[in-house]
Amino acid sequence: MLGDSVDMAGEETATPGPLVDSEDQQERIQARRLRIAARIEAKRREALGEDPSSVLEHKETPRRSYKQVEDSRQRLSKLVNDGTQLVTNIQVAADARETQRRAEEGELRRRRVEKIDNEAKSSFEKFEDITEKWLRSGERRIAQELWTLLNSQQQHCGQLIEEKNGLIGELQQELKRKDDQYVKDLKKQGEDISLLIERMEEQVRSLGKTYREELLQIEKAFEQERRELLSKNEKTWEQRTEQRREQELQGLMNRMKKVEEYEQQLKQLRVQDGEEYNMIKIKLETDVQILQQQLQQMKATYQLNQEKLEYNFQVLKKRDEENTITKSQQKRRITRLQDVLNNLKIKLEKQIKQYKEENQALTDDFKRIAEQYKELQKKMRQFAAVDAKKFHDIWVMNEEEMKQLVQKALEVDRIIHEQQLGLPWSAPDLWFMENIGPLVVKAKEQKTASMLAQEVMRVSGGSHDPVTPDDQEPSDPSQPFSPRTVKQILEVLCDESGFLIENKLVQLLSPLEKDERSLIRLDTIFGALQIEVEDDVYKLVDFFLKYRQQQGQPLQDDDLGPEESDKSHLQTSHPSELIHPNDVLRALKAFTMEVHHQREKPHLRLTGTEERDSSEDAAYWSTAAQVIPPSRLKVWDALESAMEKYYDVLTSRSQLITETSALRQQNTELRMLLHQYLNSKINAELEIPPTQILQVDMIHT
């Protein structure tokens, strides 16, 4: 057999691999697995930039180890099937003999019952005839007739007894034949069991030997495949190393060329900058001369404006005289209005008194509702505490149950690996077993508003640079706005919120640079607006960006300067589109009121407890549920299938043992019954005891 296995291993390259359209289910499964493995290998090689022809070569040539395993599996399956058929032939033959015996036994039983019934009918008729003659014997008065009748009756009774004894003899012979047949069946069953055990032992030895040989062939195939893969990978490594070396050399040469080009560009830039400097100097001198000419023009304009002011003064004197006349008229009007005012004051006092009474009533209602609200708050806090305790207790109860299930599953997995599979077992990471109670998720650490301002102020570009759509998108996906947008909003806020800064601080900040001065001003503004963390800053930026749209005031050209209005059509957008400086104070007031309203919301202060973060709960319970990985679950399924087969074998053996025990018990009962019949007192009362017949039969035998 070992020689045959070696020949098959040597000829495996010539035989084709498993086919998808094969009639064997296992061969179709193996073919699909090979095809999926080839696709995965092709994608991996394509991702690594390898030659696709190698993928085709790999796809056309199946792995040696896979083919050896498949051939070994088929040979072992055939060997197991042949051995199973050889072992089960004994049981098939025994079942056939038992079926034939039962059919013959049924026919004999039918004949025996028919014979007993016929004999019972005949005996009953004879017995009735004898009884009838005995009844009529009283009519006989002659002794000779009575003696003749007595002899006749005695002969009839003797015949009846002989028929009964004959039937008893036949039944005893049948019983003896059954005992002999039972002994022969026991011997035959013993021979069948011995033959069955012998074949099973031979099959086990053959399977063990074949398994060892096939395992040796598979190991040789794996070793050969490993040597081929190592050789192939070494060649690929050398080729890739040489290719990398050539690429690095080429990159170095390209870098040297770029350095030379950059040096030439620097020389050109120095010459160009020198020329531009001279041109700018000439232009600035020309601008100084133009400004001097404009100064002379402004002086002439001042003289002209002074003469206009004198003329306007004369005109105002005329208007003052007219105003005196108007004033006297207004005094008379004031007197009339004073009377109206007194009447209105009286009416106002009445309304004030009425409003005070209404205010007092509303105040009482407010106090009553406030007391009810405080009581409601107290109940809500109590309910929240009870709910939190109940949640904690339920969590702990479920967690204890989960931990017990996890320990039970791990213990089962350990027993399966160590006792059933004989493999070393290592415990997984059970970090969740140390947790007790609901999870506590740490809050995300946020930057302070001042730190965020320092970061965004380092961004290049001022508030007057155009804002493109790319600038409005944040570079960090976790941040809602880009640093440039935040910087522009903060600069507008710093320029338009000077009333929040003391004059002394303004004087102290004047010597500093613009960025440092802006940071200190923003720190003071943040303190006045109670802006502490970066989320508050992002809320302010979001509110300012939405304020103009909420107010329904689109940006007009009038909001921009003359030069900006001319350039607005050339830009995609302008910084003032974020929020106009004239709207900063109104937007800031609205933002302060909204933030104050949100901080004073009642539902935020109802329970007095922090809202629990449940984002990690699903992952926590999922980790506990997946403590046994899918690979081990597959091992469990395979072991369960094997155990079920083993249980079926044990069940069949148990049934056979039960049947054997039942037959032994029946045999014992029959022996005891036979012994009881032989030792019964009725045998001594019979003229011919059955024991004598049995002894005579045994002597003849």
Side-chain angles (χ1 to χ4, degrees):
M1 184 178 294
L2 181 60
D4 297 339
S5 301
V6 173
D7 295 340
M8 292 180 182
E11 296 175 359
E12 65 181 355
T13 56
T15 59
L19 300 177
V20 180
D21 55 354
S22 175
E23 297 181 356
D24 189 3
Q25 181 181 5
Q26 297 296 331
E27 185 175 356
R28 293 197 302 271
I29 294 173
Q30 186 66 22
R32 295 191 186 98
R33 289 178 179 174
L34 293 176
R35 187 169 60 183
I36 293 171
R39 291 178 180 174
I40 295 173
E41 182 66 17
K43 292 182 179 179
R44 185 185 68 81
R45 291 177 176 272
E46 184 178 358
L48 295 176
E50 297 182 358
D51 188 6
S53 59
S54 61
V55 181
L56 296 176
E57 180 181 358
H58 178 74
K59 182 176 180 181
E60 293 174 358
T61 305
R63 294 179 59 178
R64 183 190 303 272
S65 58
Y66 288 167
K67 190 165 190 320
Q68 180 62 40
V69 170
E70 182 65 20
D71 294 341
S72 299
R73 183 188 63 76
Q74 293 178 357
R75 286 194 290 271
L76 292 174
S77 299
K78 185 176 184 304
L79 182 61
V80 169
N81 293 332
D82 295 342
T84 303
Q85 185 176 4
L86 180 64
V87 171
T88 54
N89 285 338
I90 299 174
Q91 182 178 0
V92 172
D95 293 341
R97 289 196 302 271
E98 180 64 19
T99 302
Q100 184 178 2
R101 185 192 69 79
R102 289 182 180 181
E104 294 175 355
E105 181 66 22
E107 182 64 22
L108 292 175
R109 185 184 297 107
R110 186 186 62 79
R111 294 178 181 178
R112 186 166 53 251
V113 171
E114 184 179 357
K115 186 175 182 180
I116 292 174
D117 291 341
N118 295 331
E119 195 276 335
K121 291 179 181 179
S122 176
S123 299
F124 182 74
E125 292 176 354
K126 292 179 180 182
F127 180 77
E128 286 184 349
D129 187 18
I130 294 171
T131 303
E132 184 179 358
K133 289 180 179 180
W134 279 116
L135 293 175
R136 289 185 298 177
S137 63
E139 300 176 356
R140 303 293 175 92
R141 295 288 185 265
I142 302 173
Q144 185 66 30
E145 293 178 355
L146 288 173
W147 183 80
T148 304
L149 179 61
L150 181 62
N151 289 332
S152 176
Q153 290 290 89
Q154 187 176 4
Q155 292 177 359
H156 285 91
C157 290
Q159 292 177 359
L160 182 63
I161 291 172
E162 287 179 358
E163 291 178 358
K164 293 290 185 181
N165 290 334
L167 181 61
I168 292 172
E170 291 178 1
L171 293 176
Q172 288 177 350
Q173 291 293 329
E174 184 70 19
L175 182 61
K176 182 180 179 181
R177 185 182 65 80
K178 289 296 181 183
D179 291 339
D180 295 339
Q181 184 65 31
Y182 175 72
V183 173
K184 292 179 181 179
D185 290 341
L186 289 179
K187 290 181 180 180
K188 182 61 178 177
Q189 288 181 359
E191 293 175 357
D192 290 343
I193 290 174
S194 300
L195 180 60
L196 179 64
I197 294 172
E198 182 180 358
R199 290 186 179 182
M200 290 175 65
E201 292 177 351
E202 180 65 24
Q203 182 66 13
V204 170
R205 288 194 298 270
S206 176
L207 283 174
K209 181 179 179 182
T210 306
Y211 270 105
R212 286 191 295 271
E213 292 175 354
E214 295 298 333
L215 181 60
L216 181 61
Q217 294 297 327
I218 292 172
E219 290 179 352
K220 289 181 179 180
F222 273 109
E223 290 178 357
Q224 180 66 23
E225 184 179 358
R226 181 175 178 274
R227 287 193 295 270
E228 294 176 357
L229 289 175
L230 287 175
S231 176
K232 184 177 181 180
N233 291 335
E234 287 179 356
K235 293 180 181 179
T236 305
W237 174 260
E238 292 177 357
Q239 294 176 359
R240 296 293 175 83
T241 305
E242 184 65 24
Q243 184 179 1
R244 177 63 181 270
R245 189 181 298 109
E246 294 177 358
Q247 291 178 355
E248 290 180 351
L249 181 60
Q250 184 67 26
L252 180 61
M253 298 299 295
N254 294 334
R255 181 178 177 82
M256 293 175 64
K257 292 180 180 179
K258 288 183 178 180
V259 169
E260 294 177 357
E261 293 177 358
Y262 290 156
E263 289 179 354
Q264 294 179 0
Q265 292 178 3
L266 286 174
K267 291 180 181 179
Q268 295 177 359
L269 289 174
R270 290 193 186 97
V271 176
Q272 184 177 359
D273 291 343
E275 295 177 355
E276 291 180 355
Y277 172 75
N278 294 329
M279 293 175 63
I280 292 172
K281 183 176 180 182
I282 296 171
K283 182 180 179 181
L284 292 176
E285 292 176 353
T286 305
D287 293 338
V288 169
Q289 294 177 0
I290 294 172
L291 291 175
Q292 289 178 354
Q293 293 177 2
Q294 292 178 355
L295 179 60
Q296 296 297 328
Q297 293 177 0
M298 291 300 294
K299 288 181 178 180
T301 304
Y302 174 78
Q303 184 67 26
L304 180 60
N305 290 336
Q306 186 176 6
E307 293 177 357
K308 288 182 179 179
L309 288 174
E310 290 178 354
Y311 172 78
N312 291 333
F313 176 75
Q314 297 297 328
V315 174
L316 289 175
K317 286 178 68 177
K318 294 289 185 182
R319 289 184 178 178
D320 184 66
E321 293 176 356
E322 294 176 357
N323 289 335
T324 302
I325 299 171
T326 305
K327 189 183 296 185
S328 60
Q329 296 175 355
Q330 292 296 332
K331 285 181 179 180
R332 290 191 296 271
R333 185 179 180 185
I334 287 172
T335 303
R336 291 193 304 271
L337 292 176
Q338 188 68 34
D339 297 336
V340 176
L341 177 62
N342 294 331
N343 295 330
L344 292 175
K345 284 182 178 180
I346 295 171
K347 188 182 295 184
L348 177 62
E349 290 176 357
K350 292 181 181 179
Q351 291 181 353
I352 289 173
K353 184 178 179 180
Q354 181 181 359
Y355 291 154
K356 284 182 179 180
E357 293 175 356
E358 293 177 358
N359 186 26
Q360 184 65 29
L362 293 174
T363 302
D364 296 337
D365 294 338
F366 173 77
K367 291 180 179 179
R368 178 175 55 80
I369 294 173
E371 292 296 331
Q372 294 176 356
Y373 177 71
K374 291 180 181 179
E375 186 67 18
L376 180 61
Q377 282 185 331
K378 183 178 179 181
K379 292 181 180 179
M380 290 297 293
R381 285 192 292 270
Q382 184 178 359
F383 290 156
V386 172
D387 292 342
K389 185 177 182 303
K390 185 181 295 184
F391 176 77
H392 182 272
D393 295 341
I394 293 175
W395 180 287
V396 172
M397 179 183 67
N398 293 332
E399 194 173 41
E400 290 296 331
E401 183 179 359
M402 177 269 292
K403 291 180 181 179
Q404 293 177 3
L405 293 175
V406 169
Q407 292 291 350
K408 185 176 180 181
L410 292 176
E411 182 66 18
V412 170
D413 188 60
R414 184 186 65 78
I415 292 173
I416 289 174
H417 278 72
E418 294 181 354
Q419 297 182 9
Q420 300 295 332
L421 302 178
L423 299 176
W425 181 80
S426 60
D429 186 13
L430 302 178
W431 61 268
F432 57 88
M433 299 293 284
E434 300 177 359
N435 182 70
I436 298 177
L439 299 178
V440 178
V441 182
K442 295 183 179 180
K444 178 184 177 182
E445 297 182 358
Q446 296 187 3
K447 304 175 185 176
T448 61
S450 301
M451 295 173 61
L452 180 61
Q454 291 179 3
E455 291 181 0
V456 299
M457 285 301 177
R458 298 193 188 102
V459 180
S460 61
S463 61
H464 298 289
D465 294 337
V467 182
T468 62
D470 294 337
D471 294 333
Q472 294 180 358
E473 296 180 359
S475 57
D476 188 0
S478 63
Q479 304 299 336
F481 303 100
S482 65
R484 188 167 183 178
T485 303
V486 177
K487 178 180 179 181
Q488 293 174 0
I489 294 294
L490 294 180
E491 287 179 350
V492 175
L493 178 64
C494 184
D495 295 338
E496 300 298 329
S497 302
F499 62 92
L500 297 176
I501 305 173
E502 297 181 358
N503 295 330
K504 294 181 180 180
L505 182 60
V506 175
Q507 294 177 359
L508 294 174
L509 295 178
S510 57
L512 300 178
E513 296 182 358
K514 180 180 179 182
D515 291 340
E516 295 179 357
R517 185 167 63 249
S518 299
L519 289 175
I520 297 176
R521 290 166 65 92
L522 286 174
D523 192 14
T524 305
I525 295 171
F526 289 159
L529 298 177
Q530 297 182 358
I531 296 176
E532 299 175 354
V533 294
E534 61 177 341
D535 285 348
D536 296 337
V537 178
Y538 289 135
K539 290 179 181 178
L540 176 63
V541 173
D542 182 64
F543 187 85
F544 275 24
L545 292 176
K546 296 180 179 178
Y547 179 78
R548 194 163 191 110
Q549 183 179 1
Q550 293 175 356
Q551 296 297 324
Q553 297 176 358
L555 184 65
Q556 303 293 337
D557 293 339
D558 297 335
D559 295 338
L560 306 176
E563 296 179 359
E564 295 177 346
S565 177
D566 295 336
K567 296 178 181 179
S568 62
H569 300 287
L570 302 177
Q571 301 173 357
T572 58
S573 63
H574 195 270
S576 59
E577 288 187 359
L578 301 178
I579 184 171
H580 196 272
N582 296 338
D583 298 332
V584 171
L585 298 181
R586 292 193 295 271
L588 190 61
K589 182 178 179 181
F591 173 78
T592 306
M593 293 178 63
E594 181 178 351
V595 172
H596 179 73
H597 179 67
Q598 291 179 356
R599 291 176 179 174
E600 291 299 325
K601 282 185 178 179
H603 68 274
L604 297 178
R605 298 180 286 110
L606 279 177
T607 61
T609 59
E610 296 180 357
E611 185 179 1
R612 182 178 169 276
D613 188 2
S614 60
S615 59
E616 300 294 335
D617 292 355
Y620 174 75
W621 293 110
S622 177
T623 303
Q626 298 176 358
V627 66
I628 303 299
S631 58
R632 293 190 180 181
L633 291 178
K634 293 181 179 179
V635 175
W636 285 24
D637 295 338
L639 183 61
E640 181 183 6
S641 178
M643 286 296 182
E644 289 177 354
K645 295 180 180 178
Y646 183 63
Y647 174 77
D648 296 337
V649 174
L650 292 179
T651 304
S652 62
R653 290 183 63 184
S654 176
Q655 294 176 355
L656 293 174
I657 292 172
T658 303
E659 293 176 1
T660 304
S661 300
L663 292 174
R664 288 178 180 175
Q665 182 66 23
Q666 186 178 3
N667 188 19
T668 304
E669 292 176 358
L670 291 174
R671 288 178 183 275
M672 292 176 62
L673 185 61
L674 180 61
H675 184 268
Q676 183 179 359
Y677 288 164
L678 294 176
N679 297 329
S680 179
K681 294 180 179 180
I682 194 65
N683 293 325
E685 298 177 1
L686 297 175
E687 293 181 0
I688 302 176
T691 54
Q692 296 180 4
I693 298 175
L694 293 175
Q695 291 176 359
V696 171
D697 293 337
M698 291 176 64
I699 291 172
H700 288 296
T701 303

